[in-house]
Amino acid sequence: MNRICVYCGSSPGRRAGYLQAASALGHELVKRGIGLVYGGGSIGMMGRVADTVLDGGGEVVGVIPRRLFREEVVHTGLSELKVVRNMHERKALMMDLADGFIAMPGGLGTLEELFEILAWAKLRIHRKPCAILNACGYYDGLAALLNQVVAEGFAKPLHRDLLIIEEQPARLMRRMSDASAGESSTPGAGVPQPREDGKS
């Protein structure tokens, strides 16, 4: 993998662990020589992961619609900033530029981007690994929801398993590298499995 797309919030969140996780992921990308593709903002989670990669000498490509310049406070020190017309172009370009996708804590936009790229993987529009860095247990509820979706027959386990969930950046990147190389993980390892009593 040459570049990873990271979806995350333009806010820092209420826990210090969120920004710490963004820094840790940035350091892991630099360590592995992997560039960052992200939404182009300079604040919050977005700004922290971008600055960490830049400070380590890594490549950072931002993709932002012109109308979000003010809202997301565009980062002016990136390796490259691509300005597009709308959100549809932004998401499509980010998919094309990246070899894998990681969602970190974020708001509605982050969730929308995660589910769209996961749905595209299910439809085989792309075959790139999709993952969550589950900082501070932020996505525990989502993992339980995905198990419920499968348990109720609205998705197959193999589709749920397209999503890798880990709490540590190094382990997450190892699993994404394995998936990218075609060495997929043990079936069912992506999201925690439901217990026999039906609870996650």
Side-chain angles (χ1 to χ4, degrees), residues 12-193:
R14 292 183 175 176
R15 301 188 190 185
Y18 295 143
L19 289 179
Q20 291 169 0
S23 295
L25 178 59
H27 287 305
E28 190 65 26
L29 292 175
V30 171
K31 177 181 175 182
R32 293 172 176 268
I34 296 174
L36 169 68
V37 176
Y38 85 120
S42 64
I43 57 177
M45 298 284 288
M46 295 173 71
R48 177 62 64 89
V49 68
D51 286 339
T52 302
V53 175
L54 289 168
D55 290 345
E59 177 196 38
V60 179
V61 180
V63 183
I64 190 168
R66 184 169 298 279
R67 68 175 296 271
L68 292 184
F69 263 45
R70 179 175 300 176
E71 293 177 25
E72 296 192 355
V73 190
V74 64
H75 201 306
T76 59
L78 304 179
S79 308
E80 185 175 4
L81 179 66
K82 295 181 179 292
V83 181
V84 296
R85 291 179 298 178
N86 53 51
M87 291 295 291
H88 298 293
E89 287 188 7
R90 181 195 215 181
K91 291 183 291 184
L93 181 56
M94 289 169 79
M95 184 188 74
D96 289 341
L97 291 172
D99 303 307
F101 310 90
I102 297 174
M104 296 190 69
L108 298 180
T110 299
L111 294 173
E112 189 265 343
E113 289 168 322
L114 169 63
F115 276 109
E116 182 169 70
I117 206 66
L118 186 60
W120 288 355
K122 183 256 185 183
L123 295 172
R124 298 189 177 183
I125 294 173
H126 70 85
R127 295 177 181 268
K128 303 172 183 180
C130 302
I132 283 174
L133 181 58
N134 191 23
C136 303
Y138 183 78
Y139 283 107
D140 288 350
L142 185 144
L145 174 61
L146 291 177
N147 286 332
Q148 180 73 4
V149 170
V150 172
E152 296 296 332
F154 289 101
K156 297 178 181 179
L158 63 90
H159 296 143
R160 176 199 57 208
D161 294 343
L162 290 170
L163 184 63
I164 300 166
I165 300 181
E166 290 288 349
E167 297 179 359
Q168 299 298 325
R171 179 170 171 78
L172 181 68
M173 293 303 303
R174 284 196 298 270
R175 290 186 59 192
M176 291 184 71
S177 294
D178 289 346
S180 181
E183 302 169 7
S184 37
S185 308
T186 303
V191 175
Q193 295 294 296

